[in-house]
Amino acid sequence: METFSYKGESLFCEKVNLDEVARSKGTPLYVYSYRSIVESYDRIARAFAQVRPLICYSLKANSNLSLLRILSQRGAGADIVSAGELYKALRAGFSSEKIVFAGVGKREEEIEYALREKILMFNVESASELRVIDELSRRLNREARISFRVNPDVDPKTHHYITTGKEENKFGLDFAEAKRLYEKARQLRRVKLVGIHMHIGSQITSSLPYLEALEKVAGLVEELREEGISLEYLDIGGGFGIGYEEGTSSLEVEDLARKTVPIVQKMRMKLILEPGRYIIGPAGVLVSRVLYKKKTKKKTFLIVDAGMNDLIRPSLYGAYHRIKKIKRPDEMTSFEVVDVVGPVCESGDFFAQERALPEIEEGEYLAIMDAGAYGFSMSSSYNSRPRAAEVLVREDKWWTIRERESLEDLIKGEHTLEEKDGISCQLIPFTKMEGCGNDFIVIDNRSNLIQNRAEFARRVCARRTGIGADGLLLVENSKEADFKMRTFNPDGTEPDMCGNGARCIARFAYLKGIAKQNSSFWTPSGKIVYQVEGEDVKIKMKDPSDLKPAIKLNIGGKLYEGHFINTGVPHLVLFVEEVEKAPLKNLAPLMRYHQLFQPEGTNVDFVEIERDVLKVRTYERGVEGETLGCGTGAVASSLISSLIFGLASPVKVRMRGGRLLVYFQKRGDIFTDVFLEGKAKVVYEGYIPSSLMGEGT
Ligand code: LLP
């Protein structure tokens, strides 16, 4: 009796109505028949009964624990290819003396695991693998039972992706190399030679390639015997094909047995078979619902809710799977040529192309046949699609043997890095700018990417371990103007205003489209109006305050005369003969912390007047050293020079880093309409590396 057949109006699996299961469990859904699995297994066992083979079910075809248990309870062994499969095999009750371990890339820990579990044998595929097995067997003092997998170079006439026994394939050893390794392995203390292995490919529907390969292998076994190497197990692999297309049939295992058993008997070896697909393939279907029917000029698409992530065989191998309606098509039904496709965003996501199927409507269920092998086991959650549920049917009962994955499952094991982990997933772009030799890191922080500003400033401004700058300038949101400027010194302190910084940020804001060419922005010291013209930026400064001319400072018993003014930040201006000799290193720091200026301290400017040009050097608070230029210092020096020596607006200022112009109106000792003008240049742009982000930025 057919496993999947129509009864009444619907397609059944054994005695279970697939329509009902689909409605109850949802789709996409894998459904397997218990009977089919057992029948296929028994058929192989019967065919080869004369030699009582060990049938090692190949887990890669489908390793659902409930399905494995059916086979382990029937006495099957297991063919595994990874630690994961070994784990599942043991969990499902396969005894370790019935487990064979194949694969070209076994890892040390996998070999170790298998050695500890005392499996029947490793099917070794290279000289290097033999070396590793030898080493581990000695280190763990365990016997390693091995076979060599040979490559008989025969063509199994199947899809080239699943051909494994040809010379050009990565699998197995050519006979000469195999012989050499048998010789070598017999000398290894903890390695025991127990057999020989071949597996020439998958989905092979004729006995002939097996026969051809077996005859070759028999010759090799004979040669080895002559050299005193006798082997117990002959493992001829799996690969037994099934009839996917209408009118085709599976490998006739009775025929295969008839042809091979006499050879095996002559070889006097125990036979191992490794079928996967043959046992589980026809036992399973993938049930899917038609979501939409979409007609284009060229085609009719049935868009179903299963995708290539659920069953990849058509996409990967161009494999053919019969597709049946679950609702029985009536006799009169007309056929329609359709493409059955999934929802995955790939044109390769299809189950059938240009296939004539009985007319199907939206909402109907379809069964994709022969999907039991390499269906679920090759499935993924590509496109973040939870993997399908699996159901086992026996007679008129069915059980869920795997729940559908949940959305929660999709993120299992993932860690969401958050700002507290010291990472900002967003890369922060910065612009390095320079105004009169004052260099700044300028960042658009309107989205508040940088929160721990002081710490961030310390990191990025550091000359040797950071990007290096005299200051960090942040563009932030403001209610009062186009944006707000926040300035941070390399030590993390936040001055109210920075003249060169203001010119740089104005040009930055204009270049980045944050503000207009002539506009204004806000600073903690008030509003700044600016004009940008090429590299030149002119800003209107706050009117100065706190003017205190001719202050006497007593430092170490010596008197110095300076002039104090606040031009947004505090400045002490001292006139000197030669600015190049000004005591910036020794004296300036003492003045900067002088009790007269506590608690906020002051910047210190040394000024030499050379005709109508001021030569200025500034010691900056926060930087705690000389900078190449200082905008508020240039303004302070100009205003004080005008007050004391009568210099007229605009005053030309030359600092080490460049030139500035200071404009102002003066009435008595009242200054208004103060402007600072000079170049603001872009030096380079980049992204802040995560190593500089620090915690909480
Ligand atoms: N033994 C070894 C060493 C194998 O590599 C394989 C399958 C088998 C046994 C079982 O072969 P079976 O009896 O199932 O044909 N994903 C492909 C099939 C890949 C087969 C890989 N090796 C497909 O969907 O057609």
Side-chain angles (χ1 to χ4, degrees):
M1 195 180 41
E2 286 244 354
T3 307
F4 296 93
S5 58
Y6 289 106
K7 294 190 179 65
E9 277 309 292
S10 188
L11 187 65
F12 275 60
C13 171
E14 301 195 21
K15 292 178 188 158
V16 167
N17 185 339
L18 286 176
D19 186 75
E20 282 169 21
V21 187
R23 266 175 224 288
S24 151
K25 281 308 288 182
T27 48
L29 177 73
Y30 276 99
V31 181
Y32 308 102
S33 153
Y34 178 95
R35 196 184 65 213
S36 172
I37 297 169
V38 169
E39 277 179 4
S40 301
Y41 176 83
D42 287 354
R43 187 169 160 191
I44 299 173
R46 244 190 341 263
F48 286 89
Q50 264 181 298
V51 289
R52 297 168 52 82
L54 173 61
I55 302 173
C56 289
Y57 168 69
S58 191
L59 261 73
K60 59 181 86 62
N62 190 324
S63 57
N64 180 289
L65 287 180
S66 293
L67 305 182
L68 294 182
R69 202 162 265 272
I70 298 172
L71 293 162
S72 70
Q73 281 173 355
R74 243 180 153 68
D79 159 46
I80 60 156
V81 74
S82 67
E85 286 190 352
L86 175 53
Y87 175 73
K88 292 185 102 178
L90 294 171
R91 285 292 294 255
F94 287 96
S95 86
S96 59
E97 325 73 277
K98 288 185 181 174
I99 296 178
V100 297
F101 190 170
V104 291
K106 304 179 187 79
R107 297 150 55 108
E108 280 194 22
E109 53 273 35
E110 293 181 311
I111 294 170
E112 200 175 315
Y113 180 21
L115 282 173
R116 289 188 194 283
E117 294 295 340
K118 303 198 174 111
I119 61 162
L120 176 60
M121 64 193 195
F122 292 89
N123 290 328
V124 178
E125 305 225 14
S126 65
S128 305
E129 185 189 332
L130 176 63
R131 178 174 48 72
V132 173
I133 291 181
D134 170 43
E135 275 167 22
L136 286 170
S137 66
R138 279 184 288 121
R139 195 185 319 149
L140 302 172
N141 198 23
R142 295 279 161 136
E143 180 173 77
R145 299 165 56 87
I146 69 161
S147 288
F148 285 107
R149 175 172 179 172
V150 294
N151 183 330
D153 191 26
V154 297
D155 186 355
K157 308 231 163 27
T158 182
H159 192 283
H160 63 283
Y161 278 16
I162 50 177
T163 298
T164 52
K166 289 203 70 184
E167 226 171 10
E168 62 266 30
N169 301 133
K170 68 179 174 182
F171 298 98
L173 301 157
D174 68 47
F175 282 18
E177 175 74 345
K179 263 177 98 171
R180 192 178 72 77
L181 292 182
Y182 271 109
E183 285 296 343
K184 187 166 178 193
R186 79 198 293 193
Q187 283 146 33
L188 303 174
R189 199 156 49 83
R190 298 302 269 147
V191 170
K192 182 164 186 205
L193 286 169
V194 294
I196 191 160
H197 175 236
M198 68 178 217
H199 171 76
I200 54 176
S202 193
Q203 182 52 18
I204 303 168
T205 47
S206 153
S207 304
L208 296 176
Y210 286 101
L211 196 59
E212 190 188 337
L214 185 56
E215 277 167 350
K216 286 188 178 183
V217 170
L220 177 62
V221 168
E222 194 47 45
E223 282 176 41
L224 289 169
R225 215 168 258 167
E226 280 161 16
E227 298 188 10
I229 300 173
S230 60
L231 304 168
E232 189 182 349
Y233 290 96
L234 169 68
D235 181 345
I236 65 165
F240 307 171
I242 61 173
Y244 282 106
E245 295 192 38
E246 291 86 353
T248 63
S249 49
S250 58
L251 173 79
E252 213 188 302
V253 287
E254 294 78 10
D255 177 61
L256 178 68
R258 217 175 302 122
K259 292 194 169 101
T260 54
V261 163
I263 304 175
V264 176
Q265 281 173 326
K266 218 167 108 202
M267 292 167 82
R268 296 186 313 278
M269 291 171 82
K270 289 186 189 149
L271 182 66
I272 298 178
L273 304 170
E274 300 174 346
R277 183 190 324 260
Y278 186 89
I279 294 175
I280 202 73
V285 293
L286 172 58
V287 181
S288 181
R289 197 164 63 91
V290 177
L291 298 173
Y292 303 108
K293 196 165 181 175
K294 175 173 170 174
K295 291 194 183 191
T296 68
K297 271 191 210 134
K298 296 224 158 127
K299 288 191 168 189
T300 299
F301 292 100
L302 292 180
I303 301 166
V304 301
D305 66 0
M308 64 189 287
N309 69 297
D310 299 300
L311 175 66
I312 203 177
R313 301 192 71 258
S315 310
L316 193 57
Y317 314 113
Y320 186 98
H321 283 262
R322 286 172 296 144
I323 296 178
K324 290 188 170 179
K325 274 162 69 91
I326 291 204
K327 185 169 147 222
R328 184 203 285 266
D330 61 48
E331 305 284 288
M332 307 300 291
T333 204
S334 54
F335 279 73
E336 197 175 12
V337 175
V338 294
D339 276 22
V340 180
V341 301
V344 171
C345 293
E346 304 248 1
S347 295
D349 177 29
F350 61 83
F351 296 112
Q353 289 179 311
E354 318 238 314
R355 179 95 50 101
L357 291 178
E359 216 158 310
I360 297 166
E361 285 163 30
E362 291 185 352
E364 267 194 57
Y365 292 118
L366 299 180
I368 303 172
M369 308 304 290
D370 304 306
Y374 307 108
F376 189 90
S377 68
M378 292 180 85
S379 72
S380 73
S381 53
Y382 181 44
N383 275 209
S384 289
R385 292 166 44 81
R387 286 192 294 170
E390 296 181 288
V391 159
L392 177 66
V393 170
R394 185 176 185 184
E395 303 257 338
D396 56 354
K397 295 198 185 61
W398 62 272
W399 302 264
T400 302
I401 55 172
R402 183 185 175 108
E403 291 299 342
R404 182 178 307 288
E405 271 181 354
S406 64
L407 296 181
E408 242 340 88
D409 291 334
L410 287 178
I411 55 170
K412 185 167 173 253
E414 284 191 40
H415 297 287
T416 315
L417 291 184
E418 286 166 13
E419 318 239 296
K420 68 173 165 52
D421 299 303
I423 188 167
S424 166
C425 295
Q426 258 157 308
L427 278 177
I428 300 183
F430 72 90
T431 302
K432 183 80 190 290
M433 297 191 73
E434 176 262 318
C436 194
N438 250 178
D439 63 338
F440 302 97
I441 295 161
V442 194
I443 294 174
D444 177 1
N445 194 37
R446 285 175 302 165
S447 54
N448 223 8
L449 284 175
I450 300 158
Q451 285 168 7
N452 192 355
R453 297 171 178 78
E455 167 65 13
F456 182 78
R458 280 194 283 274
R459 283 167 181 261
V460 295
C461 291
R463 288 283 174 200
R464 287 177 191 272
T465 54
I467 296 163
D470 290 338
L472 167 70
L473 305 176
L474 299 179
V475 172
E476 303 211 343
N477 295 310
S478 163
K479 288 194 191 81
E480 293 88 353
D482 282 0
F483 63 93
K484 179 163 82 189
M485 159 165 117
R486 290 188 66 179
T487 309
F488 291 86
N489 290 319
D491 65 359
T493 53
E494 184 174 5
D496 289 346
M497 166 64 185
C498 168
N500 285 329
R503 292 187 307 101
C504 286
I505 210 167
R507 179 144 184 259
F508 173 86
Y510 168 56
L511 290 176
K512 298 288 174 196
I514 297 167
K516 290 202 278 302
Q517 192 165 6
N518 302 325
S519 186
S520 65
F521 58 91
W522 200 257
T523 74
S525 73
K527 189 172 170 174
I528 304 281
V529 178
Y530 68 85
Q531 301 166 10
V532 179
E533 193 57 60
E535 283 190 332
D536 285 311
V537 183
K538 187 171 178 180
I539 55 172
K540 181 160 192 301
M541 309 286 283
K542 211 179 90 167
D543 290 345
S545 58
D546 295 342
L547 176 65
K548 291 186 196 102
I551 301 178
K552 302 275 185 301
L553 301 176
N554 185 339
I555 292 175
K558 249 181 114 176
L559 274 190
Y560 296 89
E561 189 184 75
H563 313 274
F564 184 85
I565 189 167
N566 188 315
T567 52
V569 289
H571 277 272
L572 179 71
V573 178
L574 292 98
F575 291 96
V576 292
E577 293 282 313
E578 276 182 77
V579 83
E580 284 312 315
K581 292 188 181 149
L584 274 124
K585 279 224 168 65
N586 315 327
L587 219 48
L590 300 174
M591 295 174 168
R592 175 248 185 277
Y593 285 111
H594 196 279
Q595 66 195 37
L596 279 178
F597 312 113
Q598 292 304 328
E600 54 284 290
T602 183
N603 300 289
V604 187
D605 308 285
F606 295 94
V607 182
E608 174 189 337
I609 305 185
E610 191 183 78
R611 283 186 292 272
D612 62 338
V613 176
L614 299 188
K615 288 159 76 179
V616 179
R617 287 175 70 190
T618 303
Y619 178 97
E620 273 192 51
R621 232 182 13 160
V623 179
E624 301 314 333
E626 181 181 10
T627 54
L628 294 179
C630 171
T632 51
V635 173
S637 305
S638 304
L639 301 185
I640 297 289
S641 303
S642 156
L643 191 72
I644 299 196
F645 300 105
L647 266 68
S649 170
V651 175
K652 296 179 197 133
V653 178
R654 196 184 312 146
M655 301 180 117
R656 288 192 158 180
R659 294 153 193 274
L660 293 166
L661 275 179
V662 179
Y663 302 77
F664 52 86
Q665 297 286 334
K666 173 171 176 285
R667 223 176 306 127
D669 59 0
I670 309 281
F671 293 96
T672 54
D673 300 309
V674 181
F675 288 88
L676 174 69
E677 185 183 315
K679 298 213 180 297
K681 298 182 184 174
V682 172
V683 186
Y684 59 85
E685 305 210 303
Y687 291 93
I688 308 283
S690 58
S691 58
L692 281 180
M693 290 304 300
E695 244 179 83
T697 33

